[in-house]
Amino acid sequence: MSNYIRFDWAMKRLLRNKANFAVLEGFLTTLLRDRIKIQKLLESESNQEEEFDKYNRVDLLAEDSKGTLLLIEIQNNNEYAYFQRMLFGTSKLVTEYINRGEGYDKVRKVYSINIVYFSLGHGKDIVYHGKTEFRGIHQNDILELSPFQRQTFKVDTVSQLYPEYYILKVNDFNQVAKTPLEEWIYYLNTGEIPDQAQAPGLNAARERLKLDRMSKDELKAYYRHLDNIVILRDNINTERAEGRAEGRAEGRAEGLEAGRQEERRQNAIRMKAKGFPTQDIADITGLSPEEIDRL
């Protein structure tokens, strides 16, 4: 078993080369369970080269086994508001690649594929798939396409017209890879490709993503990238720890104030029972006359 370049680095620097598309095609074919052929990398402001830019994603124009053109977005970054980031990315991609004046039937299918190297939400699985369905609030039935719409759009369900989301939580994978997709997730997590792994694209990855093929400058930049990831992860963990500490402090302060308020209410109740004038009770306890009248 050998070590290979991390997939996030490869996407930004190596897999943009058409000669290396076989690696990405294998990954997408394994994930989407259909033969995917990449037509080209889409040129847009989203495909930037900065280390941690706001639009750290790769946009691809691809074709499935039926010849249908697909827009595929691969995002790969750490961010608290990541679910909203996914929505922003697909919305941007849909609107970027439809010409003004074209009908809505020209809107392309979008797959948002998100490889996350951090804890995103709460769940037990390592791969999640999201799609859009319209379900009746009274009959609980799913809204379907008409026969004419099926024939025109060449799909069977409404969900096939909308963006679909895949989330791969690769850091949570800690088992022996038994399926092609698990072989890919193992590589995404560890940077290693087992000798027996045969998932589509991994053989190409073995040839193209070896560390020893990198120049000294590339290797130096790659290790700097790994250092930046560690720093980013530490910053996120620190922010989370500080947030929890602040939350506990705020909770304690709120608890003390609630206790004092309850003590004032109990004193006011006892004074009111003994016939103290409302204004005297207000002056002593700090409660307003209106609050005292409601007791």
Side-chain angles (χ1 to χ4, degrees):
M1 185 183 297
S2 302
N3 288 324
Y4 296 85
I5 300 167
R6 272 177 56 114
F7 193 72
D8 54 347
W9 172 265
M11 281 202 308
K12 291 181 70 67
R13 299 299 178 97
L14 302 180
L15 300 184
R16 296 170 182 272
N17 186 331
K18 190 171 183 179
N20 296 327
F21 279 178
V23 178
L24 270 178
E25 288 172 348
F27 169 63
L28 295 171
T29 295
T30 302
L31 179 65
L32 301 179
R33 299 180 182 179
D34 193 5
R35 183 185 58 79
I36 302 297
K37 183 71 174 176
I38 296 173
Q39 299 297 316
K40 64 178 179 178
L41 183 74
L42 297 173
E43 294 298 330
S44 74
E45 62 178 314
S46 63
N47 288 322
Q48 300 179 26
E49 293 292 341
E50 284 78 7
E51 189 70 23
F52 293 106
D53 55 46
K54 183 173 178 61
Y55 308 106
N56 185 14
R57 71 181 206 241
V58 176
D59 299 340
L60 307 164
L61 181 64
E63 188 178 87
D64 65 13
S65 61
K66 300 176 184 177
T68 303
L69 288 177
L70 309 171
L71 291 172
I72 295 177
E73 169 196 61
I74 299 179
Q75 294 204 68
N76 177 23
N77 209 340
N78 292 3
E79 191 168 314
Y80 286 131
Y82 198 86
F83 289 114
Q84 293 93 322
R85 179 194 180 99
M86 290 162 50
L87 175 61
F88 175 82
T90 54
S91 301
K92 186 175 178 65
L93 202 55
V94 166
T95 55
E96 277 182 352
Y97 296 100
I98 183 171
N99 295 322
R100 180 174 295 181
E102 284 187 323
Y104 294 122
D105 60 316
K106 302 299 182 183
V107 170
R108 294 270 179 83
K109 174 74 173 184
V110 173
Y111 288 96
S112 174
I113 298 168
N114 302 272
I115 304 166
V116 296
Y117 290 90
F118 62 101
S119 179
L120 178 63
H122 291 283
K124 297 179 181 179
D125 212 318
I126 54 172
V127 181
Y128 289 87
H129 176 214
K131 60 184 180 179
T132 300
E133 290 181 340
F134 296 92
R135 188 175 294 274
I137 62 173
H138 297 105
Q139 303 297 327
N140 199 39
D141 62 320
I142 294 177
L143 186 63
E144 298 180 351
L145 295 172
S146 68
F148 174 75
Q149 288 172 318
R150 289 195 191 97
Q151 182 178 5
T152 301
F153 303 136
K154 296 180 174 58
V155 295
D156 297 319
T157 65
V158 174
S159 65
Q160 290 174 276
L161 298 174
Y162 282 79
E164 293 186 39
Y165 299 87
Y166 286 87
I167 298 174
L168 283 71
K169 302 177 64 174
V170 297
N171 281 1
D172 294 342
F173 185 74
N174 57 2
Q175 60 196 52
V176 177
K178 298 180 180 179
T179 67
L181 182 56
E182 288 178 349
E183 289 177 351
W184 261 103
I185 294 174
Y186 182 85
Y187 161 61
L188 296 175
N189 184 9
T190 65
E192 300 175 351
I193 303 177
D195 296 334
Q196 68 274 17
Q198 295 298 321
L202 287 183
N203 282 331
R206 286 190 180 99
E207 295 301 317
R208 292 167 172 82
L209 303 184
K210 290 179 180 178
L211 282 171
D212 57 18
R213 292 185 58 180
M214 300 175 72
S215 67
K216 289 184 178 180
D217 289 340
E218 288 175 332
L219 201 58
K220 185 184 298 183
Y222 176 62
Y223 284 131
R224 187 168 62 247
H225 170 77
L226 297 183
D227 290 340
N228 286 338
I229 289 173
V230 172
I231 294 170
L232 181 64
R233 186 180 297 120
D234 287 344
N235 289 341
I236 290 174
N237 291 335
T238 299
E239 290 172 2
R240 287 176 178 170
E242 291 175 349
R244 287 193 293 268
E246 290 175 2
R248 287 194 294 268
E250 291 175 1
R252 285 194 296 269
E254 291 173 359
L256 288 173
E257 180 57 31
R260 294 191 189 101
Q261 183 70 6
E262 180 60 25
E263 183 179 356
R264 287 193 288 267
R265 290 180 69 258
Q266 293 301 322
N267 288 336
I269 290 172
R270 286 192 290 269
M271 295 169 70
K272 191 172 182 180
K274 292 182 179 294
F276 280 62
T278 298
Q279 189 57 51
D280 289 348
I281 299 174
D283 292 340
I284 294 170
T285 63
L287 298 177
S288 68
E290 291 78 11
E291 290 177 298
I292 295 168
D293 290 339
R294 289 196 296 268
L295 295 175

